[in-house]
Amino acid sequence: DARVTQTPRHKVTEMGQEVTMRCQPILGHNTVFWYRQTMMQGLELLAYFRNRAPLDDSGMPKDRFSAEMPDATLATLKIQPSEPRDSAVYFCATSGGSDTQYFGPGTRLTVL
Amino acid sequence: AQKVTQAQTEISVVEKEDVTLDCVYETRDTTYYLFWYKQPPSGELVFLIRRNSFDEQNEISGRYSWNFQKSTSSFNFTITASQVVDSAVYFCALSEYKTSYDKVIFGPGTSLSVIP
């Protein structure tokens, strides 16, 4: 049963600390998306990659957020420094050319 | 501009009742996809269905059925004989060919509670 894996599932940190979230795509999926979900804004697309190359990061605050794909099996989303307003659930989703995105379980981030 | 509206914020039904979740979309493109996702209390988003704009056939999968009507720009989702396990937030979503199928726009979601 192929699934998107995300770690950690939960993260509590203090304001100013660096946070790194990781995503392992479904094997063979070449497109990776990062979303943020909050009660106020719903699901927002932050950035996405195809074949490890960034295609769009217009939804991401550039000053503190960064997204990378060091290899085909790992995508990372980093926040430095973190702020309380970054508290949200961050989802990774992947697709393999079918135009359907499959989501991971999410990382629930709380910044104190 | 593309937009997805789910007017029902919360719905409560008693187990075994049928329930329909409404979805209305806006798009200027003639080629697009519509989706439904389920988000149970565990938090994961689960893909349920994708329908392309050229296929208006209704779809049935077990207790789930979907009614796509281009004339009213609606893609409604019906659960027959609801069960407690159906309690979740359901999201309708849209992606357009011209904008890019990668850019999926999600509706605000409908929270469904099925009461035993």
Side-chain angles (χ1 to χ4, degrees):
Chain A
D1 186 21
R3 294 190 179 208
V4 178
T5 304
Q6 287 187 251
T7 57
R9 293 293 310 278
H10 302 273
K11 176 73 175 179
V12 179
T13 190
E14 293 191 348
M15 183 173 63
Q17 296 297 306
E18 178 179 298
V19 175
T20 298
M21 291 169 272
R22 294 175 176 80
C23 169
Q24 182 173 357
I26 293 172
L27 187 64
H29 281 198
N30 65 343
T31 309
V32 177
F33 304 82
W34 283 106
Y35 288 86
R36 176 171 61 186
Q37 185 180 37
T38 61
M39 289 297 293
M40 294 299 296
Q41 301 296 328
L43 272 160
E44 303 173 277
L45 177 64
L46 297 175
Y48 71 100
F49 296 75
R50 177 163 290 121
N51 297 323
R52 297 176 55 199
L55 286 190
D56 191 329
D57 63 0
S58 59
M60 201 163 66
K62 302 292 192 303
D63 56 338
R64 298 182 299 107
F65 285 60
S66 61
E68 295 179 346
M69 269 202 84
D71 61 62
T73 65
L74 177 64
T76 63
L77 179 67
K78 188 174 296 185
I79 308 174
Q80 168 62 25
S82 57
E83 297 181 2
R85 59 179 167 150
D86 301 328
S87 297
V89 181
Y90 291 82
F91 286 101
C92 174
T94 73
S95 70
S98 69
D99 298 317
T100 297
Q101 296 181 24
Y102 295 90
F103 284 75
T107 294
R108 183 175 295 276
L109 174 65
T110 302
V111 183
L112 303 174
Chain B
Q2 53 183 159
K3 184 180 178 181
V4 177
T5 301
Q6 295 179 257
Q8 304 149 308
T9 305
E10 295 181 1
I11 301 176
S12 287
V13 298
V14 176
E15 201 171 19
K16 297 184 184 177
E17 286 184 348
D18 299 346
V19 58
T20 295
L21 309 182
D22 298 333
C23 173
V24 174
Y25 62 93
E26 293 178 29
T27 177
R28 293 180 181 174
D29 204 342
T30 57
T31 305
Y32 51 89
Y33 284 124
L34 294 165
F35 305 83
W36 276 95
Y37 284 85
K38 173 183 180 179
Q39 187 173 36
S42 59
E44 186 169 355
L45 274 151
V46 179
F47 165 74
L48 295 178
I49 190 171
R50 184 189 77 188
R51 172 66 76 220
N52 76 56
S53 53
F54 299 110
D55 184 2
E56 281 193 80
Q57 272 194 320
N58 290 334
E59 174 107 2
I60 297 175
S61 177
R63 296 183 298 107
Y64 295 172
S65 62
W66 290 269
N67 181 255
F68 176 26
Q69 291 195 339
K70 288 175 77 170
S71 60
T72 55
S73 297
S74 65
F75 186 43
N76 296 337
F77 173 29
T78 297
I79 302 174
T80 303
S82 59
Q83 299 177 1
V84 172
V85 292
D86 297 326
S87 297
V89 179
Y90 291 86
F91 293 93
C92 182
L94 164 73
S95 66
E96 297 173 329
Y97 171 72
K98 286 180 182 174
T99 307
S100 167
Y101 285 138
D102 294 327
K103 301 281 185 76
V104 177
I105 300 299
F106 288 85
T110 296
S111 178
L112 173 66
S113 295
V114 181
I115 304 163

